Amino acid sequence: SPPPHPLSLSLSLSLSTLQSSADPGVSAFPSGDSLFAWTGTISGPEGTAYEGLTYRLAFSFPPEYPFSPPAVRFDCPCFHPNVDAAGNICLDILQDKWSAAFSVRTVLLSLQSLLQDANTASPLNAYAASLWASPEEYRALLLAKAAAGEQGV
């Protein structure tokens, strides 16, 4: 039989690393039978507006992975300055700051960190960015959206 595809090996290693790391509040697994499409989850960090909320992510790996970043988007509503209505994410490591040394775990932890440290200088959601400086108002709106089923999973 032919040797395994390098992408398959890289993704298998990424899955093993993620499973053995036991980082709180992050997980990801292949979706269905394909190793090239994954579903991930991140929980809002404690002490942030997102505490108690969980978000689902969709990962799609290009043939060039790990030398090119995966396409990652929120697969559920996420009100955040760096996330648009379609779930697209503005995060440097998913674009020009990607490194082949990064893994799915790196992406999950970076996205979890983004929930507490938004980049309001280049927002995808200007309304969320405008509220970011008022944590109580931001949290209240986020919880109202969650109660209405418009936030998280």
Side-chain angles (χ1 to χ4, degrees):
S1 72
H5 189 280
L7 175 57
S8 296
L9 291 174
S10 181
L11 288 173
S12 294
L13 178 62
S14 203
L15 182 59
S16 290
T17 301
L18 188 59
Q19 289 174 328
S20 64
S21 68
D23 294 299
V26 299
S27 69
F29 299 93
S31 302
D33 294 337
S34 174
L35 193 57
F36 307 104
W38 289 26
T39 298
T41 61
I42 55 172
S43 297
E46 288 184 23
T48 71
Y50 296 89
E51 182 176 354
L53 298 172
T54 300
Y55 295 90
R56 188 176 50 247
L57 301 157
F59 285 76
S60 176
F61 298 92
E64 305 81 21
Y65 182 86
F67 302 104
S68 294
V72 184
R73 66 175 183 77
F74 280 87
D75 199 24
C76 63
C78 181
F79 182 76
H80 187 278
N82 304 117
V83 180
D84 70 15
N88 298 307
I89 305 162
C90 180
L91 181 63
D92 58 358
I93 69 161
L94 294 176
Q95 280 107 30
D96 58 328
K97 301 292 186 202
W98 177 258
S99 163
F102 294 157
S103 65
V104 173
R105 178 178 174 266
T106 308
V107 173
L108 290 167
L109 293 174
S110 296
L111 289 170
Q112 193 177 45
S113 177
L114 186 68
L115 292 180
Q116 65 189 25
D117 295 318
N119 178 1
T120 56
S122 70
L124 288 177
N125 181 333
Y127 180 52
S130 72
L131 294 177
W132 189 258
S134 306
E136 296 82 17
E137 187 179 351
Y138 192 92
R139 173 83 175 155
L141 179 61
L142 199 58
L143 291 178
K145 285 180 169 293
E150 301 169 1
Q151 201 57 208
V153 290

